[in-house]
Amino acid sequence: MLINVPENVVPDALRGFAAVHTDLTVDVERRVIVRRGAPYDGQVGLVSGGGSGHEPLHGGFVGRGMLTAACPGEVFTSPVPDQMVRAAAAVDSGAGVLFIVKNYTGDVLNFDMAAELAEDEGVQVAKVLVNDDVAVTDSLYTAGRRGTGATLFVEKLAGAAADEGAPLDRVAGIARRVNEASRSFGVALSACSTPAKGGPTFDLPEGELELGVGIHGEPGRERRAMMTSGEIADVSVDAVVDDLQPDAPVLLLVNGMGATPLLELYGFAAEVHRAMGARKVSVARTLVGNYVTSLDMAGASVTICQADEELLRLWDAPVSTPALRWGC
Amino acid sequence: MLINVPENVVPDALRGFAAVHTDLTVDVERRVIVRRGAPYDGQVGLVSGGGSGHEPLHGGFVGRGMLTAACPGEVFTSPVPDQMVRAAAAVDSGAGVLFIVKNYTGDVLNFDMAAELAEDEGVQVAKVLVNDDVAVTDSLYTAGRRGTGATLFVEKLAGAAADEGAPLDRVAGIARRVNEASRSFGVALSACSTPAKGGPTFDLPEGELELGVGIHGEPGRERRAMMTSGEIADVSVDAVVDDLQPDAPVLLLVNGMGATPLLELYGFAAEVHRAMGARKVSVARTLVGNYVTSLDMAGASVTICQADEELLRLWDAPVSTPALRWGC
Amino acid sequence: MNAVPDLPADIDAALLLRWLDAVTSVIEQEADHLTQLDSPIGDADHGANMRRGFRAARTALEQEPPDTPGAVLVAIGRQLISTVGGASGPLYGTLLRRAGKALGDAPAVTAAELRDGLRAGVDGLVQLGGAKLEDKTMVDALLPALDAFTAALDAGGGTEQAVTAAASAAEEGATATTPLRARKGRASYLGDRSIGHQDPGATSSALLLTTLADTVRKASSS
Amino acid sequence: MNAVPDLPADIDAALLLRWLDAVTSVIEQEADHLTQLDSPIGDADHGANMRRGFRAARTALEQEPPDTPGAVLVAIGRQLISTVGGASGPLYGTLLRRAGKALGDAPAVTAAELRDGLRAGVDGLVQLGGAKLEDKTMVDALLPALDAFTAALDAGGGTEQAVTAAASAAEEGATATTPLRARKGRASYLGDRSIGHQDPGATSSALLLTTLADTVRKASSS
Ligand SMILES: Nc1ncnc2c1ncn2[C@@H]1O[C@H](COP(=O)(O)OP(=O)(O)O)[C@@H](O)[C@H]1O
Ligand SMILES: Nc1ncnc2c1ncn2[C@@H]1O[C@H](COP(=O)(O)OP(=O)(O)O)[C@@H](O)[C@H]1O
Ligand SMILES: [Mg+2]
Ligand SMILES: [Mg+2]
Ligand SMILES: [Mg+2]
Ligand SMILES: [Mg+2]
């Protein structure tokens, strides 16, 4: 791994992030990334965060039209409440703050604690839980569906609404609507290596793959012999389409897990488009890239979000962040 | 690998690219990616290309303010002359065409043939050879320095000049100046796997690294026991700074080889900044990301380009491509 | 109700600070093992999480050592919440904060009072995390430990007997998580594939209690 | 000057088309081996490159078979240039195009004429790539092959003897690249680390010539 010592991976990365993205305010010590100039008068603040190792999520999505602040935790470990409280204070203009929380026990507990503390300090806090991963089938006997690729959609679309000056309940409403309209399914072709472990988090022999993985280097629901890109696309598209049953065009994210070459990812995107066509789902917009990652995991995920006119408008709205930028 | 069959990796990727980037014209069959609307009246056309497997280079850099066309070859194999001839014809407005060629035997020979053929067809062609890799020390007894990270600088800065309407000799002059002012050095922490080979191109045991690698999965000049991010930054910065001896602020590219997590790459960027400071080199702009890659290779490279006012202005000029976008 | 009236108030701030010291060292040694356990059914960070939290707690409490056992537990809990993150940070943090608060500001407490404090803490943890017995979590070590603690007191044991019994029960509880199918936390995503692996959080809970037993034994033998 | 006047013009388009067919099959079989050779000192694509080029050439020439040996070589050369890419595409493409052009439009040529054609082709390749003997490239197979071809003719041999001698020399030349330090192509970047590996391009050159020898032998024995 390209690191100094495992303990310093996150602060080292934040130092680099601070040096490069001078249009953001990066508090390396306290681990908060804030859009320069925040709070913005009359604008709802959007705060997200989670374990590190999913970059560019979330720090790479701070900027105009997306997040106002991000709180990076240790690798694959949710941030601590102090970070979110500080971020909330930094971005609240009086219009309130939306916490965007991926549904993992750690994230939920820490954001809940933070929300209580922030409210004690007079900040109005709304929360949205992102839980789009259809690979978690049995939500009664699990911690519930995980938050994965849809986080990007929630952050982009709610961010655009906040940028338009929508009030907190509307921004939160859009965020929840986007989450409800989104589904994801992921596949790993290799495990990832965490700095703490110093090696792969699980054993995946060459020539096998894991179906239904999350973004924390955990194994999936099922191990199979290697499949072609087209077969993986069929399985993934079936999984999300069966679950969502969309009846309108969708936003599509074809996401690499971190170590997936763009050459392969675009080929996969072609197969996903084919599979969507076969399922008679029309695709309104497609984003391809390594956006919601799991360190150096090879693999991909497919996320769809059923869109209406409003969501399409919000998707096309200007965004200017380190990792996502258009229209401005 | 996330592929169908090795033979179809490039056309599969182009199908996906075509489906996603509807603002580009992608001829999947003939393997040419052209900026929609080309040729642009009075504008010099910029054509680059090379083996596939380095994405987003070059196709991801087609668009306003950068390339007018790109010709992707097979994986790590230069494109064939027919592609460049076709691209040249598609982008020539009468103002001529600049071929941007990375210095590899295959690329040089194929682009040379293409230039002859295009000139036969009445297109005025200038060429710039990118050869920035200081790891190739003994250029008398080798094929000469390889073209790596500086390609991004050449394509961006010459592209901005073309966008301003500069004539062919000036655009070519800027491209050559950028190449002469640029140096790169790369390090691999793992080999990459090519579809043709179906596995790693060389054997790199865990806990060792290769110093001075190119971007084609070839081993480097020297194998060493694993080093820290800071040590790698020192070696890389020393290599490029010793060779270039810059006496003005530089553009800096901290580039991942494809499978390097952004978390690690930003930490490395922090160390590169530190090392540049220690060498008293001031950094005017920094770009961090997996831009000039070697499929799923883990590792990084450092590229610097000594900048003057003009080059800084061209760097900051609007660019709108799939992989690089700002100011518009 | 189970409290035995004539127990000595032999648990003071100094004892719990020695425990913190010992537990930090134990976690330091066991961190890799805990992370290993967290690999096949989690995200390979439990050891690093625990180490970070206890290092921070030890440093903070060395600088400003509280002078009641309640304050020690509250301070450790706060440090865990502020530095661990993940699921275990809020859960262990809540356990210790609630336990500490329940101990009030007495300069020393009896084993029965500690037991009541721990019960309050575990209740808080269960309320927060929503895990039941056999969900394959730290609760599977903590609830049996509480029961054993109580049983030892009921049988006329003192602090040493009680914490020793609690530690053994926690260890057994941790081992017994292996055949379970996880229903909470990350391991639950694996469904049946979580079977056959010992839960990292239950394992760290056992470490916390075996180290408490060691610390108490050393105190009474010295 | 070395041309022996009374050689038969026994090399026609049909023979070279049979060679193309055979060589495409051989390359098909040897592609993985060539790619393996290209891994430690190159970029692991030489086998795939050659296969792509010869497949395309065979398909194209099956559809429109030229009727002179010169036209066959020119057409194969064009196909290689249009489909291979990399270093080997223009190099082999130029070799065959130049050789074919040198053969002119005779319906059949003698071994001496073929040798002159090949010499023109190799000259073109050397001019294009700039490699010298012992630079560890295909030139190390091709130049010795040309010399052996000439020597066999000088010794009074016919087509079969000449191409057989050329094939052996090419194979020896390819083997002899192993101890060399590369000075051209990708392998040159490795410096001393290129030593100890056989050059993939020299190896494919040897395959082209051994298959030519086989094809000629089969023609004369049938
Ligand atoms: N809902 C819950 N209730 C009680 N304990 C839980 C719950 N969820 C997870 N745990 C415990 O937390 C442990 C994992 O902690 P850790 O690895 O530090 O956090 P994370 O799961 O966020 O990476 C599990 O082994 C389990 O014992
Ligand atoms: N300048 C050159 N002159 C002659 N032959 C060369 C030269 N450069 C490379 N070669 C040959 O080309 C072979 C590599 O071909 P190939 O792998 O198909 O192309 P690339 O090197 O572009 O990947 C080498 O093994 C060598 O024999
Ligand atoms: Mg975690
Ligand atoms: Mg090649
Ligand atoms: Mg964990
Ligand atoms: Mg090669």
Side-chain angles (χ1 to χ4, degrees):
Chain A
M1 271 166 268
L2 186 59
I3 62 172
N4 288 316
V5 292
E7 291 76 31
N8 289 349
V9 165
V10 174
D12 282 355
L14 285 173
R15 281 193 299 130
F17 203 78
V20 172
H21 300 293
T22 46
D23 50 338
L24 301 175
T25 306
V26 181
D27 186 333
V28 176
E29 186 71 26
R30 287 154 167 162
R31 305 194 180 185
V32 181
I33 299 169
V34 181
R35 184 179 164 201
R36 172 124 323 156
Y40 286 84
D41 257 4
Q43 273 192 24
V44 170
L46 259 66
V47 175
S48 191
S52 291
H54 308 302
E55 289 68 25
L57 185 85
H58 301 271
F61 296 145
V62 177
R64 175 167 175 213
M66 219 162 161
L67 295 178
T68 332
C71 307
E74 279 297 318
V75 172
F76 293 168
T77 303
S78 112
V80 298
D82 312 42
Q83 291 169 268
M84 288 78 101
V85 172
R86 198 173 302 273
V91 306
D92 182 32
S93 67
V97 171
L98 177 66
F99 282 180
I100 299 174
V101 186
K102 301 194 297 303
N103 186 35
Y104 299 96
T105 308
D107 294 70
V108 171
L109 298 181
N110 284 283
F111 268 98
D112 278 355
M113 291 196 158
E116 265 185 48
L117 293 167
E119 276 167 348
D120 285 356
E121 292 181 11
V123 180
Q124 195 190 346
V125 177
K127 282 180 291 186
V128 57
L129 207 63
V130 184
N131 60 347
D132 53 316
D133 183 358
V134 302
V136 181
T137 43
D138 202 356
S139 41
L140 255 184
Y141 298 101
T142 61
R145 287 185 168 181
R146 297 174 284 219
T148 60
T151 317
L152 185 151
F153 289 145
V154 172
E155 295 180 357
K156 170 68 181 81
L157 299 169
D163 196 46
E164 285 179 355
L168 181 57
D169 58 347
R170 233 179 73 71
V171 174
I174 285 172
R176 288 194 196 104
R177 186 146 67 85
V178 171
N179 178 60
E180 275 153 28
S182 296
R183 299 293 186 278
S184 291
F185 187 84
V187 172
L189 275 59
S190 79
C192 65
S193 296
T194 63
K197 179 113 197 286
T201 50
F202 62 93
D203 222 55
L204 183 51
E206 190 68 31
E208 299 187 21
L209 55 75
E210 290 270 342
L211 292 182
V213 295
I215 52 172
H216 293 88
E218 67 275 56
R221 294 284 299 196
E222 197 190 338
R223 182 166 294 187
R224 290 253 197 108
M226 187 56 69
M227 297 157 69
T228 64
S229 174
E231 290 164 349
I232 296 172
D234 283 326
V235 168
S236 307
V237 167
D238 283 348
V240 295
V241 170
D242 284 347
D243 203 277
L244 182 64
Q245 306 269 5
D247 53 19
V250 298
L251 306 176
L252 169 65
L253 170 64
V254 179
N255 177 61
M257 289 300 197
T260 307
L262 282 185
L263 185 70
E264 297 178 18
L265 201 58
Y266 273 105
F268 182 59
E271 297 295 338
V272 171
H273 269 250
R274 178 197 48 71
M276 297 287 279
R279 294 295 308 258
K280 307 254 183 303
V281 178
S282 101
V283 177
R285 304 284 186 278
T286 309
L287 183 68
V288 176
N290 288 281
Y291 288 111
V292 181
T293 64
S294 191
L295 290 170
D296 61 348
M297 181 178 269
S301 63
V302 171
T303 303
I304 56 172
C305 172
Q306 174 165 335
D308 53 23
E309 298 255 307
E310 182 181 33
L311 296 188
L312 282 180
R313 182 178 54 75
L314 293 171
W315 179 253
D316 293 336
V319 58
S320 177
T321 69
L324 219 59
R325 203 176 306 191
W326 59 69
C328 60
Chain B
M1 270 166 271
L2 186 58
I3 63 173
N4 289 318
V5 291
E7 292 76 30
N8 290 349
V9 165
V10 174
D12 282 355
L14 284 174
R15 281 192 299 131
F17 202 77
V20 173
H21 300 294
T22 46
D23 51 337
L24 301 175
T25 305
V26 181
D27 187 334
V28 175
E29 186 71 27
R30 285 152 170 166
R31 305 194 180 185
V32 181
I33 300 168
V34 180
R35 184 180 164 200
R36 173 124 322 158
Y40 287 85
D41 257 5
Q43 273 192 25
V44 170
L46 260 67
V47 175
S48 190
S52 291
H54 309 303
E55 289 68 27
L57 187 81
H58 302 268
F61 296 146
V62 176
R64 174 169 176 213
M66 219 160 161
L67 295 178
T68 332
C71 306
E74 279 299 316
V75 172
F76 292 169
T77 302
S78 113
V80 297
D82 312 41
Q83 293 170 266
M84 289 80 101
V85 171
R86 199 174 300 273
V91 307
D92 182 33
S93 67
V97 171
L98 177 67
F99 282 180
I100 299 174
V101 186
K102 303 195 296 303
N103 186 36
Y104 299 96
T105 307
D107 294 69
V108 171
L109 298 182
N110 284 285
F111 269 99
D112 277 356
M113 291 196 159
E116 264 184 51
L117 294 168
E119 277 168 347
D120 285 356
E121 293 181 11
V123 180
Q124 197 190 347
V125 177
K127 282 180 291 184
V128 57
L129 207 62
V130 184
N131 61 347
D132 53 316
D133 183 358
V134 302
V136 181
T137 44
D138 202 356
S139 39
L140 254 185
Y141 297 102
T142 62
R145 287 184 167 180
R146 297 175 284 222
T148 61
T151 317
L152 186 151
F153 289 146
V154 172
E155 294 180 359
K156 170 69 180 83
L157 300 170
D163 196 46
E164 285 179 355
L168 182 57
D169 58 346
R170 232 179 73 71
V171 174
I174 283 171
R176 290 193 193 103
R177 186 145 67 84
V178 171
N179 178 59
E180 275 153 27
S182 295
R183 298 292 186 279
S184 291
F185 188 85
V187 172
L189 275 61
S190 78
C192 64
S193 296
T194 64
K197 179 115 196 287
T201 50
F202 62 92
D203 221 55
L204 182 52
E206 191 67 31
E208 300 187 21
L209 55 76
E210 290 271 342
L211 292 182
V213 294
I215 52 171
H216 293 88
E218 67 274 56
R221 295 284 300 196
E222 197 189 338
R223 183 166 293 187
R224 291 252 197 108
M226 188 54 69
M227 297 158 70
T228 64
S229 174
E231 290 164 349
I232 295 172
D234 283 325
V235 168
S236 307
V237 167
D238 282 349
V240 295
V241 170
D242 284 348
D243 203 277
L244 183 65
Q245 306 268 5
D247 52 19
V250 299
L251 306 176
L252 169 65
L253 170 64
V254 179
N255 177 61
M257 289 299 196
T260 307
L262 283 184
L263 185 70
E264 297 179 18
L265 201 57
Y266 274 105
F268 182 60
E271 296 296 339
V272 170
H273 268 249
R274 178 198 47 71
M276 297 287 277
R279 295 295 306 262
K280 308 253 182 304
V281 178
S282 101
V283 177
R285 304 285 186 279
T286 308
L287 183 68
V288 176
N290 288 282
Y291 288 111
V292 181
T293 64
S294 191
L295 289 170
D296 62 346
M297 182 179 269
S301 63
V302 171
T303 304
I304 57 173
C305 172
Q306 174 165 333
D308 53 23
E309 298 254 308
E310 182 181 32
L311 295 188
L312 283 180
R313 182 177 55 75
L314 293 172
W315 179 253
D316 293 337
V319 60
S320 177
T321 70
L324 219 59
R325 202 175 309 191
W326 60 67
C328 59
Chain C
M1 50 170 188
N2 306 90
V4 182
D6 59 352
L7 280 174
D10 54 1
I11 300 157
D12 61 5
L15 181 91
L16 292 186
L17 287 168
R18 283 200 302 281
W19 168 70
L20 171 61
D21 205 52
V23 105
T24 308
S25 306
V26 168
I27 295 279
E28 201 80 52
Q29 285 157 31
E30 294 295 316
D32 284 350
H33 177 228
L34 292 173
T35 290
Q36 294 290 346
L37 291 176
D38 200 27
S39 301
I41 59 170
D43 58 351
D45 64 357
H46 188 58
N49 289 348
M50 295 297 285
R51 180 172 52 203
R52 186 172 59 251
F54 277 93
R55 276 185 188 168
R58 175 159 63 179
T59 307
L61 275 77
E62 267 171 11
Q63 272 161 20
E64 274 183 70
D67 46 19
T68 68
V72 170
L73 295 184
V74 167
I76 300 175
R78 278 219 188 99
Q79 285 297 322
L80 295 185
I81 291 173
S82 291
T83 59
V84 174
S88 54
L91 290 169
Y92 277 131
T94 298
L95 165 61
L96 294 176
R97 259 168 44 98
R98 292 282 176 92
K101 281 192 178 170
L103 296 190
D105 52 10
V109 298
T110 65
E113 286 165 332
L114 178 63
R115 191 270 324 271
D116 292 345
L118 289 178
R119 179 174 290 154
V122 173
D123 283 353
L125 182 156
V126 167
Q127 206 184 332
L128 187 66
K132 296 185 201 57
L133 262 184
E134 311 217 317
D135 281 354
K136 195 175 183 122
T137 70
M138 46 180 70
V139 168
D140 293 333
L142 295 171
L143 283 181
L146 264 188
D147 288 346
F149 199 122
T150 300
L153 292 186
D154 286 349
T159 304
E160 192 177 329
Q161 289 73 30
V163 294
T164 304
S168 308
E171 284 193 307
E172 277 167 39
T175 315
T177 59
T178 304
L180 298 176
R181 185 181 186 284
R183 287 190 294 232
K184 286 285 170 194
R186 295 184 187 290
S188 68
Y189 305 134
L190 288 175
D192 288 341
R193 291 174 79 187
S194 65
I195 293 170
H197 300 278
Q198 183 168 323
D199 179 60
T203 310
S204 62
S205 288
L207 289 178
L208 301 188
L209 287 163
T210 51
T211 312
L212 179 61
D214 286 348
T215 309
V216 168
R217 267 196 300 276
K218 272 188 200 132
S220 41
S221 70
S222 71
Chain D
M1 50 173 193
N2 305 93
V4 182
D6 58 353
L7 279 174
D10 53 2
I11 301 156
D12 59 6
L15 181 91
L16 292 186
L17 286 169
R18 283 202 301 281
W19 168 70
L20 172 60
D21 204 53
V23 103
T24 307
S25 306
V26 168
I27 294 279
E28 202 80 52
Q29 282 156 32
E30 293 296 314
D32 284 351
H33 177 229
L34 293 174
T35 290
Q36 293 291 345
L37 291 176
D38 200 28
S39 301
I41 59 169
D43 58 351
D45 63 359
H46 188 57
N49 289 348
M50 295 297 286
R51 181 172 50 201
R52 189 172 56 252
F54 277 94
R55 276 185 189 170
R58 175 159 63 176
T59 306
L61 275 77
E62 267 169 11
Q63 272 159 21
E64 274 182 72
D67 48 18
T68 67
V72 169
L73 295 184
V74 168
I76 300 176
R78 278 219 188 100
Q79 284 297 321
L80 296 185
I81 290 175
S82 290
T83 60
V84 175
S88 54
L91 290 169
Y92 278 132
T94 298
L95 165 60
L96 294 176
R97 257 166 47 97
R98 292 282 175 92
K101 281 191 180 170
L103 296 190
D105 51 11
V109 298
T110 66
E113 285 165 332
L114 178 64
R115 192 268 325 271
D116 290 345
L118 289 179
R119 180 174 289 153
V122 174
D123 282 353
L125 183 155
V126 167
Q127 206 184 333
L128 187 66
K132 296 185 202 57
L133 262 184
E134 309 216 321
D135 280 356
K136 195 176 183 119
T137 70
M138 45 180 72
V139 168
D140 294 333
L142 295 171
L143 284 181
L146 263 188
D147 288 346
F149 199 122
T150 300
L153 292 186
D154 287 349
T159 304
E160 189 177 333
Q161 288 73 31
V163 292
T164 303
S168 307
E171 283 193 308
E172 276 168 39
T175 315
T177 60
T178 304
L180 299 175
R181 184 180 185 285
R183 288 190 294 232
K184 286 285 169 195
R186 295 184 187 288
S188 69
Y189 304 135
L190 288 175
D192 288 341
R193 292 174 80 186
S194 65
I195 292 171
H197 300 277
Q198 183 167 323
D199 179 60
T203 310
S204 61
S205 288
L207 289 179
L208 300 189
L209 286 163
T210 50
T211 311
L212 179 61
D214 285 348
T215 308
V216 168
R217 267 197 300 275
K218 273 189 199 131
S220 42
S221 70
S222 69

